[in-house]
Every structure is written in structure tokens, then in C-alpha cells.
């Protein structure tokens, strides 16, 4: 986009110079041609977008999110469209009591009450993946920071809601798999 604007400025300067009767008038045509070439290069560069493997591109035109997605590879698009890349690979989000282990630098472990009334601290890792077809809706309704707005709060709520069915000892031993399946 910047090259298009620079090309327009050079084109306007070339037109102004060509209209002024002076010694620089003979350069006006060359400057106009240079401005047009810069604008064409800017349009070509702005029209090509690359989406990396494991990502999808969501197109926005003047703030309006479009419903189709761009899959990995090179794409020719309208140079006015802004493309936001979202990761569709399996990601993990770790909540841990150990500093600098998870997504948060501080203690992010979950403290829950069990069926026997004890408070238990749980460290966990959540695996999640964005569905390609849901990427435009997610960007439109939630934004790019969906991990802190959706993944983390829902995970913490599900852990707390389901831990009340188990006592502290079985939560860490015999009923651990059942607890994980219930959360899933």
C-alpha cells in the first residue's frame, strides 16, 4: 500500500513539473512514468499474499470480515484487503504453578474444591485446535486473542465444575482418566 501512495506522489510531482515552464520540464514525463511504474509494482506486491502451512487467512475489507478463508499457499487478492493469519494446528495451553512454565509467567494453576471439601491445586495442559471454517466467525466475534477470551476461561470453568464430583485422593489416582474424560 505504501508503494502505491509513493507512486501517486511521484506521479503528481511529475505532472506538476511537466506543466511548469522551466529547465526541469523535460524530466516531467520521466517522473510521471516512474510514478506509474512504482504504483503498478505496489499494486502487484499488495495483491500477493502467502499463507504458511498450518494456517488459514481471513480476509477483511475496510473492517468487514469476509466468510471465505485462504488456505496455505500463494494467493492473488484485492490489494485493499487485509489478511489475518490464524493457526489451525493443534496448540496447547498450559496452566501451571511453576513460574514461566505455562502461557502466564506467574502461578496459573487452578485451585478447586473436591467432593470432600479439600482445596486441590491442579496443573494442566489443554490441547485445542481452530476449525478452518470457523476462523472468520471467531475473528469477527472474538478477535485474534481467542486463547485468553475463550480457551482459558472455559477450561478453568470446566475443571472447577467437574472436580466437585471427586474426592482429593481419587482425583489424582484412580479416577484421573474419568475426570479427564468428563472435562473433555
Amino acid at each position: 500500500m505504501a508503494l502505491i501512495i509513493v507512486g501517486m506522489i511521484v506521479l503528481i510531482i511529475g505532472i506538476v513539473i511537466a506543466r511548469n515552464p522551466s529547465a526541469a520540464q523535460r524530466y516531467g514525463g520521466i517522473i510521471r512514468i516512474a510514478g506509474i511504474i512504482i504504483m503498478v509494482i505496489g499494486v502487484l506486491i499488495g495483491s500477493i499474499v502467502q499463507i504458511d502451512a498450518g494456517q488459514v487467512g481471513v480476509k477483511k475489507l475496510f473492517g468487514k470480515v469476509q466468510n471465505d478463508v485462504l488456505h496455505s499457499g500463494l494467493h492473488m487478492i484485492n490489494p485493499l484487503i487485509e489478511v489475518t493469519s490464524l493457526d489451525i494446528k493443534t496448540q496447547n495451553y498450559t496452566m501451571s504453578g511453576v513460574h514461566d512454565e505455562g502461557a502466564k509467567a506467574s502461578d496459573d494453576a487452578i485451585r478447586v474444591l473436591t467432593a470432600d471439601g479439600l482445596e486441590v491445586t491442579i496443573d494442566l495442559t489443554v490441547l485445542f485446535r481452530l476449525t478452518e471454517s470457523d476462523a472468520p466467525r471467531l475473528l469477527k466475534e472474538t478477535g485474534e486473542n481467542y486463547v485468553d477470551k475463550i480457551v482459558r476461561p472455559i477450561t478453568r470453568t470446566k475443571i472447577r465444575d467437574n472436580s466437585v464430583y471427586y474426592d482429593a485422593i481419587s482425583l489424582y489416582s484412580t479416577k484421573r482418566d474419568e475426570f479427564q474424560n468428563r472435562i473433555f
Side-chain angles (χ1 to χ4, degrees):
M1 188 62 145
L3 278 178
I4 297 171
I5 294 171
V6 169
M8 290 173 127
I9 292 170
V10 171
L11 179 64
I12 291 170
I13 290 171
I15 291 171
V16 169
I17 290 175
R19 289 189 179 173
N20 287 333
S22 67
Q25 182 180 11
R26 62 178 178 222
Y27 298 113
I30 295 171
I31 294 173
R32 280 188 297 194
I33 291 172
I36 291 170
I37 290 172
I38 291 171
M39 283 184 358
V40 168
I41 290 171
V43 168
L44 290 175
I45 290 174
S47 297
I48 298 172
V49 67
Q50 177 182 344
I51 306 297
D52 293 331
Q55 295 188 339
V56 292
V58 178
K59 300 184 287 185
K60 293 188 288 188
L61 181 60
F62 302 119
K64 184 178 187 293
V65 176
Q66 298 181 357
N67 290 328
D68 57 329
V69 295
L70 299 173
H71 300 282
S72 61
L74 284 177
H75 300 277
M76 292 290 290
I77 60 166
N78 178 346
L80 299 176
I81 288 179
E82 177 187 343
V83 177
T84 302
S85 293
L86 296 174
D87 197 348
I88 59 170
K89 298 182 297 261
T90 300
Q91 302 173 60
N92 65 29
Y93 185 85
T94 300
M95 291 181 252
S96 175
V98 178
H99 293 288
D100 298 330
E101 183 178 354
K104 303 272 184 198
S106 61
D107 183 1
D108 195 30
I110 301 173
R111 285 162 188 76
V112 297
L113 288 176
T114 59
D116 50 359
L118 297 175
E119 183 179 283
V120 176
T121 302
I122 299 176
D123 290 354
L124 70 115
T125 299
V126 178
L127 298 176
F128 65 96
R129 184 175 66 85
L130 175 62
T131 308
E132 291 179 29
S133 59
D134 291 336
R137 193 180 102 220
L138 179 74
L139 189 62
K140 190 183 309 179
E141 295 175 4
T142 307
E144 293 180 56
N145 193 10
Y146 62 93
V147 173
D148 285 333
K149 292 179 182 177
I150 295 175
V151 175
R152 186 171 188 269
I154 288 177
T155 301
R156 294 179 75 86
T157 300
K158 290 295 183 185
I159 297 294
R160 286 190 178 111
D161 289 349
N162 289 294
S163 65
V164 297
Y165 297 111
Y166 303 95
D167 58 26
I169 294 172
S170 63
L171 194 61
Y172 280 102
S173 58
T174 59
K175 302 282 185 172
R176 183 177 180 153
D177 289 336
E178 183 181 322
F179 178 58
Q180 288 176 347
N181 291 333
R182 190 176 188 121
I183 293 168
F184 184 75

